[in-house]
Amino acid sequence: MVRLKPVVNDPQGLVVTEALHALGYDEVEGVRVGKFISLELGDGDPERARARVEEMCRRLLCNGVIEDYRFQLSEGGEAS
Amino acid sequence: MVRLKPVVNDPQGLVVTEALHALGYDEVEGVRVGKFISLELGDGDPERARARVEEMCRRLLCNGVIEDYRFQLSEGGEAS
Amino acid sequence: MSRAGTAAPPSREELRQLALTEEEYGSACRQLGREPNQLELGLLGALWSEHCSYKTSKRLLGQLPSASPRVVQGPGENAGVVDLGGGLLCCFKMESHNHPSAVEPVQGAATGVGGILRDVIAMGARPVALLDSIRFGALEDARQRQRFARVVEGIGWYGNCIGVPTVGGETYFDQAYSENCLVNAMCVGLVEQGRLARALARGEGNPVLLVGADTGRDGIHGATFASVELDREAEERRPAVQVGNPFLEKCLLEACQELAGDPDLVGLQDCGAAGLSSACAEMAHRGGSGVEIEVQRVSRRERGMGPYEVMLSESQERMVLVVREGAEERFRERFRRWGLRCDVIGRVIAEPCLRVTDGGRPVAQLPLSVLVAGVPPRRPQSRAEPAPAASSPDPLLEVPPWPAEEAWLRVLGSPNCASSRWVWRQYDHQVGDDTIVGPGADAAVLRLRGRVQGLALSVDSAHPSARLDPRRGTAMGLAEGLRNLACVGAEPLGVTDCLNFGDPDSPLVMWQLEEAVAGLAEAARELGVPVVSGNVSLHNQYQGRSIPPTPSLGLVGLVPDLERLPRPGFCVEGDLVALLGRPGAGPEGVELGGSEYQRLASGQPSGSAPELDLAAERRAAEAVRQAVRARLLRSCHDCSLGGLGVALAEAAVWGGQGAVVRSPLAPPERPSPGWAAAVLLGETQGRYLASLDPGRLAELERALAAAGVPLAVLGRVGGEWLEVSGVARIPLAGARERLEGALPGAMAGPALGAGMGERAGPVS
Amino acid sequence: MTTRFGIAVFPGTWSDRDCAHAAELAGGEAVFLWHAERDLRGADVVVLPGGFAYGDYLRTGAIARFAPLMEAVRERAREGGPVLGICNGFQILCEAGLLPGALLRNQSLQFRCQPVWLRVESCRTPFLAGGEVGQVLRMPISHGEGRYYVDAGTLRQLEQEGRVALRYSEADGRLSPDANPNGSLGAIAGVSNAEGNVLGMMPHPERACEPLLGSSDGLRLFASALAALSPP
Ligand SMILES: Nc1ncnc2c1ncn2[C@@H]1O[C@H](COP(=O)(O)OP(=O)(O)O)[C@@H](O)[C@H]1O
Ligand SMILES: [Mg+2]
């Protein structure tokens, strides 16, 4: 899961907020739109998988200038 | 969390898979890229919030033609 | 081959899903001398669909003239081809993606653009321009705003990504398109003479290659989908929606460019509707041979796909090649360099049939005489609409709803007449560095590298009065295109058409189609514009309501000298303003039938369509071309939707100068109350509004007199007002605000609905 | 010897031929540099053109930065050789860390193709060396993700070091929110590295090299790089 850092302005989130308000969902106070990336991994050691995914995020999947990331592994070698 | 239905072509996922392979992450067998939307909700009844978010997903956040969604509520009135 | 195991003939329901009738099924059995098996039935359903076989329209299309000394390739290949001289050819074609765009606007429109690009790529040409013609319901409705915005996004996304400029198009809104939006896209490409590719398979033993995307379960039955009414069930056919990948297509484009003209390339064809089955069958049919496909060799995106799905998948971004035996490795290597997968999936066989094997086991074998050429032609009933009782005089003349000034401003502020900048600023219209005149003027102009010449491109649809008279309205569409070309001095080379109609089983719609094709044929002949390619989109109906007849016409012309292009609009104070062509027609000299003014005032066209004199159109276009080439005109614009009032305002806004002119028509003795507005907003055909240096007037007069084209000097350029003496007067700033502000204003409402403007991939 | 412009070609690049044309109009010679090779083919100036390398999937420029060609470009940049990134090229340079910041989706969330005015803020880079500060240039933009963003600290540094090269402005050089087509921070249209040899910009100078196309202001960037390299 990769999303824009809180300090970075997210016009898409604003537009979605407005659209939700227009539809009557007034309880929505804010929306931020990010990316959800699911990786299917060949089986392996979860420890090692964690380190590798961490590295993939840092090197490719997330741009540290504007984005943060977070991920979790689930059984069957999936990360997201 | 909104993502392309499994039968729908995800060119973005294919290209990211290739890029990860090129970087040496051969254990990656497949990638799918979707959206991660976080909503901040004014406090309220979790039961009701769930129903409302469900509705927002169907009506606006998810394009049912090609996408599926899934969400979870966390404390402090956040949904994603 | 017998229907393996199951001997029972398909049920009516099964046939309906394949869009086959029982008669058609019977005919197939008779021609084959047996019953087709499941897979064969699927292949027949796809290739016999309206979309692939033109079974309803083919007999009509034969009337269209398609020859001229310039035409190298008429209808029948992936795109039409005309000769630009000096060894350069121009390919072009227009296609619809109406149904997919209604279900999933972004991807539907995007894959429409992808598909038409591949048609041009398959000719060995480099695509150099895209144009679009799009129609929606009224923008007061949030659903329509959303659909419109997302179609524009989809068209832009694909074209912008692949780096082909979208240089023109047209945008139109009317209630009648609320449930059936129209999305037509046109692509123009250039290719050197020796590199033109053809879509055929021949040479027994030659390998058949599939290149590009893996095959998935996308759009199975897309062809039949486009051939049935859009209804609730469309929802369930949703897997028919495909997601485009312009990146892959860009790589395909470049690789095909490198391979075009290779002596070992036998045939090149894109995979469009009905996927591999139609691509292979049509290539083989054209080449007078057969093709055998081994489905196991087709690379798949998903597990568990059977031969049926592989053969009928409409996965995008795939092309089929036939190459000389022995050259396959060289070709594969080329594609690999561009990161493209390429597999040998079959070979050319002598027997003229499509044979499909699954792991060596034959699973289908259909003679091409049946599969490609055997569909029984449909001849649905047609019945003319009773001519409307002409209410004369027009109620708008008798009881005008608004004062002339207000009527003028309202028409300028209609999204149909106002600027479409909101649309085309989202399209890259400059990439390639050849766009000399981009969207927003009459015709777009592209330069041809290394020459003084250029290409002029224009998309125009039938006049809205085609609802009153489909024959004349369609001819007016072509005449308008010709005028747009003339304004930049271009001579027409050819036209591609996209015939958008409703339910062909409605006798009225069938009549409209017959009339429109007859009108196009007649106009093409009289105006000297061969029809080189085209597409038919039927079944644009919803709950029994069909769209109005809407043929779109894409013209290509040759600009002889780019240095002699007129300037945009009224740009030099003191210049004369002149009207070329007949100033008016009809009672009191004004024609309101089908005009935008009438649409705004009464919601629908009534009365009679404007008169059309094709011989006069041709004379005027020729005279205008000559005047442009002789630099007699500073600016030139045609009068189309919105008549003189819109033409005047556009010329003034584009050039930044107002004008004071007289009415081109002398008022009748006792003018009707609505006469003034009608002078401004009537849509009499065959007119051009020009500005010129007063010093050139004498020469212009001589030239037009010799050509038999009327000329009226109306007044002068200058000032902050647009004034038609004795008729109406509005400030230039007000006109600008309407023309520029209407569409952004209409789109300012909240955007609603799924997807939030997200695509499957981003845009740089 | 003529100055050689090396024009990078990634799968998905589409301004390559336009840039080559511009380089030739400026009096240079153009060669194409294939993304999968580490070879600059003797180029004196490296241009990363517009397009959507690798589909711009994930993020614009994110995948392109790993191309073998980029290793050579990085090295050249370090040696002080002139490198110009246009549009997608700018995005790649940012992703590659050769320039600070990132380019986000336009504030309007829409793609924009339109002419803009650019005020020259600094002439330190070889691409603007021939001009003067305050001068206003006209050329088009064509992008969906051109909103320049950088954190506040780096922004201050960029301003102090004169590394903001171009800003979106009105025709007379005034800054205004209307003149900023994508919501860029500080209306920034182009920035350079600390040494000044690497310039990234969202607008397309290669589309403004001939009067027939509406402006020839863009030709100055190519011509001044050429002039900077050929001592009188
Ligand atoms: N959907 C569109 N895409 C691109 N350009 C468009 C679109 N709609 C309108 N335009 C441009 O706006 C201008 C005016 O369109 P239109 O009024 O239909 O012109 P005309 O009446 O001269 O044919 C044309 O230059 C056309 O290219
Ligand atoms: Mg016109």
Side-chain angles (χ1 to χ4, degrees):
Chain A
M1 193 268 293
V2 177
R3 60 176 162 184
L4 286 175
K5 291 184 175 172
V7 300
V8 177
N9 162 10
D10 173 15
Q12 199 180 357
L14 296 178
V15 168
V16 176
T17 313
E18 273 172 37
L20 286 172
H21 288 171
L23 289 174
Y25 300 103
D26 294 321
E27 70 268 38
V28 176
E29 290 174 357
V31 178
R32 298 196 56 93
V33 182
K35 276 187 281 240
F36 186 88
I37 304 173
S38 7
L39 305 173
E40 206 180 306
L41 303 177
D43 262 10
D45 170 36
E47 201 62 345
R48 197 178 119 78
R50 183 172 310 277
R52 297 276 284 180
V53 172
E54 182 80 41
E55 206 181 279
M56 291 181 218
C57 287
R58 271 207 326 278
R59 287 183 68 193
L60 179 70
L61 303 178
C62 169
N63 177 345
V65 176
I66 44 173
E67 295 168 331
D68 287 330
Y69 65 90
R70 211 168 69 199
F71 67 90
Q72 65 197 50
L73 294 180
S74 57
E75 83 317 340
E78 256 195 71
S80 57
Chain B
M1 193 268 293
V2 176
R3 61 174 162 183
L4 287 173
K5 293 184 178 171
V7 301
V8 174
N9 187 14
D10 176 14
Q12 178 156 225
L14 296 176
V15 172
V16 174
T17 313
E18 273 172 39
L20 286 171
H21 288 170
L23 290 175
Y25 300 103
D26 293 323
E27 71 267 39
V28 177
E29 290 175 356
V31 178
R32 295 194 63 91
V33 182
K35 277 184 295 231
F36 186 89
I37 305 171
S38 4
L39 305 174
E40 207 179 305
L41 304 177
D43 262 9
D45 170 36
E47 200 62 345
R48 197 179 119 76
R50 182 171 311 277
R52 297 276 285 181
V53 172
E54 180 81 41
E55 208 181 276
M56 291 182 218
C57 286
R58 270 208 326 278
R59 288 182 65 191
L60 180 76
L61 303 178
C62 170
N63 178 353
V65 179
I66 48 176
E67 295 170 330
D68 285 331
Y69 64 90
R70 212 170 67 200
F71 66 90
Q72 65 198 50
L73 295 180
S74 56
E75 83 315 345
E78 254 194 73
S80 57
Chain C
M1 200 164 311
S2 64
R3 272 165 66 84
T6 63
S11 69
R12 184 187 290 251
E13 176 55 25
E14 236 176 297
L15 288 177
R16 201 187 65 86
Q17 289 207 339
L18 293 166
L20 284 175
T21 63
E22 279 170 73
E23 294 71 54
E24 286 166 346
Y25 180 73
S27 165
C29 295
R30 270 194 307 283
Q31 293 183 59
L32 291 172
R34 61 180 171 87
E35 289 197 353
N37 66 27
Q38 197 73 44
L39 171 58
E40 291 170 333
L41 191 59
L43 297 175
L44 281 166
L47 273 107
W48 283 19
S49 68
E50 185 65 52
H51 199 74
C52 289
S53 72
Y54 291 83
K55 58 192 166 193
T56 307
S57 54
K58 204 174 216 158
R59 71 190 162 90
L60 301 175
L61 300 177
Q63 307 166 49
L64 299 173
S66 60
S68 90
R70 292 265 192 190
V71 174
V72 174
Q73 174 68 58
E77 280 278 341
N78 282 306
V81 184
V82 295
D83 192 345
L84 301 178
L88 191 63
L89 308 177
C90 175
C91 307
F92 56 100
K93 167 100 192 279
M94 178 152 48
E95 215 163 65
S96 65
H97 233 214
N98 303 334
H99 292 79
S101 302
V103 175
E104 206 323 272
V106 175
Q107 293 299 334
T111 50
V113 172
I116 195 63
L117 279 160
R118 279 195 301 285
D119 275 327
V120 166
I121 294 170
M123 302 300 292
R126 176 176 282 279
V128 294
L130 290 163
L131 298 96
D132 62 335
S133 169
I134 51 180
R135 287 170 187 247
F136 305 88
L139 292 177
E140 285 76 31
D141 175 355
R143 274 175 51 243
Q144 300 296 330
R145 288 201 294 275
Q146 153 127 355
R147 188 177 282 177
F148 166 53
R150 292 172 63 71
V151 161
V152 168
E153 184 187 345
I155 293 173
W157 174 53
Y158 212 100
N160 297 345
C161 279
I162 201 165
V164 176
T166 305
V167 299
E170 55 166 359
T171 313
Y172 188 84
F173 307 92
D174 185 275
Q175 297 291 2
Y177 302 98
S178 293
E179 300 301 337
N180 292 92
C181 64
L182 298 186
V183 177
N184 296 174
M186 170 176 171
C187 181
V188 182
L190 295 175
V191 56
E192 284 151 35
Q193 201 121 40
R195 293 161 55 90
L196 188 66
R198 296 208 47 204
L200 48 77
R202 63 160 65 120
E204 194 177 351
N206 279 338
V208 175
L209 279 61
L210 177 63
V211 58
D214 288 348
T215 299
R217 289 195 171 96
D218 310 288
I220 292 182
H221 290 166
T224 47
F225 175 53
S227 305
V228 294
E229 180 175 354
L230 263 191
D231 52 21
R232 288 240 192 70
E233 273 177 58
E235 305 254 315
E236 286 147 39
R237 269 187 230 107
R238 269 174 174 180
V241 172
Q242 305 136 30
V243 171
N245 184 356
F247 169 60
L248 214 157
E249 183 133 313
K250 165 72 168 156
C251 295
L252 267 178
L253 185 172
E254 296 297 342
C256 288
Q257 278 292 293
E258 292 178 1
L259 292 167
D262 189 303
D264 288 334
L265 178 65
V266 177
L268 184 58
Q269 160 85 43
D270 65 303
C271 272
L276 265 182
S277 57
S278 105
C280 295
E282 283 171 10
M283 282 177 98
H285 192 62
R286 276 194 207 102
S289 53
V291 159
E292 178 180 276
I293 300 297
E294 168 54 60
V295 290
Q296 294 288 337
R297 300 233 194 117
V298 175
S299 160
R300 299 142 202 224
R301 207 175 62 222
E302 292 168 64
R303 285 177 269 254
M305 290 177 66
Y308 189 97
E309 291 168 305
V310 170
M311 289 306 292
L312 292 169
S313 157
E314 293 189 359
S315 287
Q316 297 286 302
E317 290 96 17
R318 298 180 303 161
M319 313 270 293
V320 175
L321 290 82
V322 174
V323 306
R324 282 238 170 80
E325 203 172 350
E328 52 270 39
E329 257 327 297
R330 202 160 56 75
F331 279 77
R332 295 183 67 188
E333 188 47 46
R334 268 287 132 172
F335 287 117
R336 216 171 287 137
R337 195 175 111 90
W338 283 100
L340 295 167
R341 162 153 210 144
C342 176
D343 300 298
V344 175
I345 59 162
R347 60 189 182 94
V348 178
I349 55 178
E351 195 184 340
C353 68
L354 176 65
R355 184 187 299 148
V356 182
T357 61
D358 183 3
R361 188 171 53 92
V363 288
Q365 169 144 352
L366 291 168
L368 298 172
S369 58
V370 182
L371 187 60
V372 179
V375 64
R378 290 182 75 242
R379 285 180 161 277
Q381 272 195 5
S382 101
R383 192 173 55 244
E385 183 167 27
S391 65
S392 168
D394 197 292
L396 286 180
L397 270 179
E398 292 288 274
V399 194
W402 308 296
E405 262 100 14
E406 190 184 342
W408 193 359
L409 286 170
R410 278 181 185 252
V411 170
L412 294 179
S414 151
N416 292 339
C417 292
S419 167
S420 305
R421 184 189 307 275
W422 187 92
V423 175
W424 48 258
R425 72 179 179 184
Q426 299 183 57
Y427 298 159
D428 187 337
H429 46 266
Q430 296 168 321
V431 58
D433 260 2
D434 291 327
T435 309
I436 306 301
V437 179
D442 285 315
V445 178
L446 249 58
R447 74 167 150 192
L448 293 167
R449 287 290 169 105
R451 299 178 179 220
V452 295
Q453 296 161 315
L455 281 182
L457 310 173
S458 171
V459 176
D460 297 279
S461 294
H463 191 267
S465 67
R467 283 183 229 192
L468 305 168
D469 182 342
R471 182 184 292 244
R472 200 191 296 170
T474 302
M476 274 156 56
L478 190 64
E480 186 188 340
L482 186 73
R483 290 198 295 271
N484 281 333
L485 296 194
C487 288
V488 293
E491 157 208 352
L493 299 174
V495 61
T496 177
D497 66 81
C498 193
L499 304 176
N500 305 281
F501 285 81
D503 178 5
D505 291 321
S506 144
L508 172 61
V509 171
M510 203 52 216
W511 172 78
Q512 290 171 337
L513 179 63
E514 288 168 357
E515 285 289 296
V517 174
L520 176 58
E522 187 186 344
R525 241 184 338 264
E526 295 294 317
L527 300 176
V529 191
V531 182
V532 300
S533 57
N535 172 250
V536 179
S537 170
L538 302 180
H539 297 285
N540 294 288
Q541 79 240 27
Y542 183 77
Q543 295 183 342
R545 285 204 336 152
S546 288
I547 60 159
T550 317
S552 309
L553 305 166
L555 277 89
V556 173
L558 192 64
V559 179
D561 185 353
L562 292 175
E563 296 288 331
R564 289 165 184 260
L565 285 180
R567 312 235 321 245
F570 298 158
C571 49
V572 177
E573 190 171 351
D575 272 1
L576 299 177
V577 175
L579 187 73
L580 285 58
R582 179 174 58 164
E588 299 188 33
V590 295
E591 294 177 293
L592 292 169
S595 65
E596 181 66 11
Y597 173 39
Q598 187 184 64
R599 204 188 67 85
L600 288 179
S602 68
Q604 58 191 10
S606 61
S608 45
E611 289 173 16
L612 179 67
D613 178 344
L614 290 169
E617 289 280 356
R618 188 169 185 163
R619 274 200 311 276
E622 176 59 28
V624 168
R625 279 201 292 275
Q626 294 303 344
V628 167
R629 288 175 204 182
R631 292 201 160 114
L632 299 181
L633 305 179
R634 184 102 62 193
S635 76
C636 186
H637 182 28
D638 74 311
C639 295
S640 56
L641 212 63
L644 180 66
V646 168
L648 257 179
E650 284 178 337
V653 168
W654 294 345
Q657 298 270 346
V660 179
V661 301
R662 67 172 171 83
S663 159
L665 295 169
E669 212 153 290
R670 237 176 293 114
S672 304
W675 182 79
V679 167
L680 279 171
L681 304 171
E683 296 183 8
T684 290
Q685 298 292 295
R687 299 183 298 174
Y688 299 80
L689 185 71
S691 66
L692 65 148
D693 181 332
R696 310 310 295 266
L697 179 62
E699 204 179 327
L700 181 68
E701 279 175 336
R702 267 195 308 279
L704 290 189
V709 176
L711 169 72
V713 174
L714 299 183
R716 283 193 188 263
V717 170
E720 292 298 318
W721 288 82
L722 275 171
E723 177 173 344
V724 182
S725 320
V727 171
R729 179 171 189 267
I730 56 173
L732 177 59
R736 178 180 295 118
E737 186 207 305
R738 294 296 171 117
L739 286 175
E740 289 296 336
L743 200 46
M747 291 305 289
L752 298 178
M756 310 172 307
E758 241 336 289
R759 303 153 306 256
V763 180
S764 74
Chain D
M1 235 193 48
T2 52
T3 301
R4 184 177 277 195
F5 288 78
I7 319 282
V9 181
F10 300 93
T13 296
W14 41 236
S15 275
D16 43 348
R17 299 185 317 145
D18 301 357
C19 286
H21 182 61
E24 281 161 9
L25 283 175
E29 177 194 1
V31 292
F32 292 110
L33 311 177
W34 186 242
H35 67 104
E37 286 158 18
R38 214 152 296 171
D39 185 359
L40 295 184
R41 302 183 62 192
D44 305 300
V45 182
V46 174
V47 180
L48 305 184
F52 69 131
Y54 302 93
D56 272 348
Y57 289 125
L58 198 61
R59 292 182 312 278
T60 54
I63 299 176
R65 81 172 165 108
F66 292 107
L69 178 65
M70 285 306 293
E71 285 172 36
V73 172
R74 205 172 276 124
E75 192 172 324
R76 173 58 61 86
R78 205 166 27 225
E79 291 164 358
V83 176
L84 173 62
I86 299 168
C87 191
N88 194 226
F90 184 16
Q91 295 162 341
I92 296 171
L93 289 174
C94 289
E95 281 282 343
L98 288 170
L99 290 174
L103 293 141
L104 295 164
R105 189 123 175 233
N106 292 351
Q107 189 72 35
S108 63
L109 297 178
Q110 287 180 349
F111 192 95
R112 280 285 184 277
C113 179
Q114 66 185 58
V116 295
W117 297 101
L118 299 171
R119 190 174 77 191
V120 176
E121 300 288 297
S122 151
C123 296
R124 289 179 55 207
T125 89
F127 301 99
L128 292 165
E132 4 172 328
V133 170
Q135 185 180 21
V136 181
L137 307 176
R138 182 145 173 101
M139 58 188 79
I141 56 163
S142 184
H143 59 247
E145 312 202 359
R147 178 165 51 109
Y148 187 69
Y149 171 83
V150 70
D151 65 72
T154 315
L155 178 63
R156 222 169 305 119
Q157 191 186 351
L158 291 180
E159 302 271 12
Q160 276 162 10
E161 295 175 1
R163 290 167 58 188
V164 174
L166 299 162
R167 275 189 228 272
Y168 301 107
S169 74
E170 303 280 351
D172 59 7
R174 266 179 318 115
L175 300 185
S176 82
D178 283 348
N180 183 343
N182 52 27
S184 286
L185 200 64
I188 291 175
V191 295
S192 73
N193 63 349
E195 295 71 27
N197 60 311
V198 179
L199 172 68
M201 59 191 291
M202 285 315 292
H204 286 277
E206 80 284 7
R207 294 187 185 184
C209 290
E210 292 167 87
L212 196 57
L213 296 175
S215 165
S216 33
D217 287 354
L219 193 58
R220 298 184 191 193
L221 281 92
F222 292 87
S224 78
L226 193 135
L229 284 171
S230 26

